[in-house]
């Protein structure tokens, strides 16, 4: 079976995918709400970049805050399309009719969980940026690293699971 003749299977979303989507949409709504409700009170210069230690290493225009919502919105849209068509994803040569469902589900979940964790991460970054611009301590704090660790952990889990599919 090659990429051109893979079966198109209808696999219902799992409860965990529905939950992840719900959390991801709430995070996306929070991301926009944070900007909307705080925009008029923001100074012209806000944190624009953070170093590996989580501290602000560049300040920029408050209009730069629109970068993350724009990226999140495009990512949400395109990854939703890719989730709906798992037969187009890249798979190992050992994919066949008997294991296609397992590969499709695993790949779709990887996209789903990744997309939604990134929405949470972006919402957190925007929230912290608004806080820092308003005078709070100029660091992202430990929750950033927890969310990033979750993203890396989920990705590792789903990649390892790919290797275990027979």
């Amino acid at each position: 079976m090659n990429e051109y003749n893979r079966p198109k299977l209808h696999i219902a979303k799992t409860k965990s995918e529905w939950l992840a989507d719900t959390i991801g949409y709430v995070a996306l709504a929070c991301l926009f709400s944070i900007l909307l409700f705080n925009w008029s009170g923001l100074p012209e210069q806000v944190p624009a970049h953070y170093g590996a230690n989580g501290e602000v290493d560049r300040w920029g225009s408050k209009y730069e805050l629109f970068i993350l919502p724009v990226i999140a919105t495009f990512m949400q849209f395109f990854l939703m399309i890719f989730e709906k068509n798992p037969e187009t994803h890249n798979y190992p040569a050992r994919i066949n009719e008997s294991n296609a469902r397992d590969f499709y589900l695993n790949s779709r979940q990887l996209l789903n969980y990744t997309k939604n964790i990134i929405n949470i991460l972006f919402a957190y970054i925007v929230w912290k940026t608004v806080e820092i611009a308003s005078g709070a301590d100029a660091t992202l704090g430990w929750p950033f690293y927890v969310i990033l660790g979750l993203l890396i952990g989920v990705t590792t889990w789903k990649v390892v699971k790919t290797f275990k599919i027979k």
Side-chain angles (χ1 to χ4, degrees):
M1 176 184 336
N2 64 39
E3 62 211 64
Y4 303 107
N5 65 1
R6 291 188 190 136
K8 181 148 178 80
L9 304 175
H10 175 74
I11 304 169
K13 274 193 174 186
T14 63
K15 288 179 183 177
S16 64
E17 288 172 292
W18 283 109
L19 177 62
D21 277 340
T22 301
I23 293 168
Y25 282 123
V26 167
L28 197 57
C30 287
L31 187 145
F32 281 99
S33 297
I34 291 164
L35 279 180
L36 184 69
F37 293 123
N38 292 289
W39 186 257
S40 63
L42 287 174
E44 288 303 313
Q45 293 289 302
V46 299
H49 190 268
Y50 298 89
N53 62 357
E55 294 180 10
V56 177
D57 62 8
R58 185 174 74 79
W59 293 75
S61 167
K62 70 180 186 177
Y63 292 96
E64 289 184 53
L65 286 175
F66 287 115
I67 293 171
L68 290 181
V70 167
I71 291 171
T73 301
F74 278 108
M75 184 185 65
Q76 186 75 28
F77 176 74
F78 287 111
L79 288 182
M80 278 175 31
I81 293 170
F82 292 134
E83 278 181 71
K84 291 179 188 288
N85 299 291
E87 69 279 358
T88 63
H89 301 179
N90 193 16
Y91 297 104
R94 69 181 190 281
I95 188 171
N96 57 50
E97 288 185 28
S98 67
N99 63 15
R101 183 185 188 290
D102 293 336
F103 275 114
Y104 289 5
L105 181 60
N106 190 58
S107 183
R108 188 182 73 195
Q109 286 177 335
L110 173 60
L111 288 177
N112 179 283
Y113 302 155
T114 299
K115 165 190 75 181
N116 291 306
I117 294 169
I118 290 172
N119 283 345
I120 295 166
L121 187 66
F122 283 7
Y124 178 77
I125 291 169
V126 168
W127 174 67
K128 282 303 289 183
T129 299
V130 167
E131 271 199 336
I132 293 167
S134 300
D137 187 31
T139 181
L140 284 173
W142 63 266
F144 171 80
Y145 297 102
V146 171
I147 300 167
L148 194 60
L150 180 63
L151 180 62
I152 293 166
V154 165
T155 303
T156 303
W157 165 50
K158 295 314 253 177
V159 168
V160 167
K161 192 168 181 178
T162 298
F163 287 109
K164 291 182 176 183
I165 296 173
K166 302 284 182 211

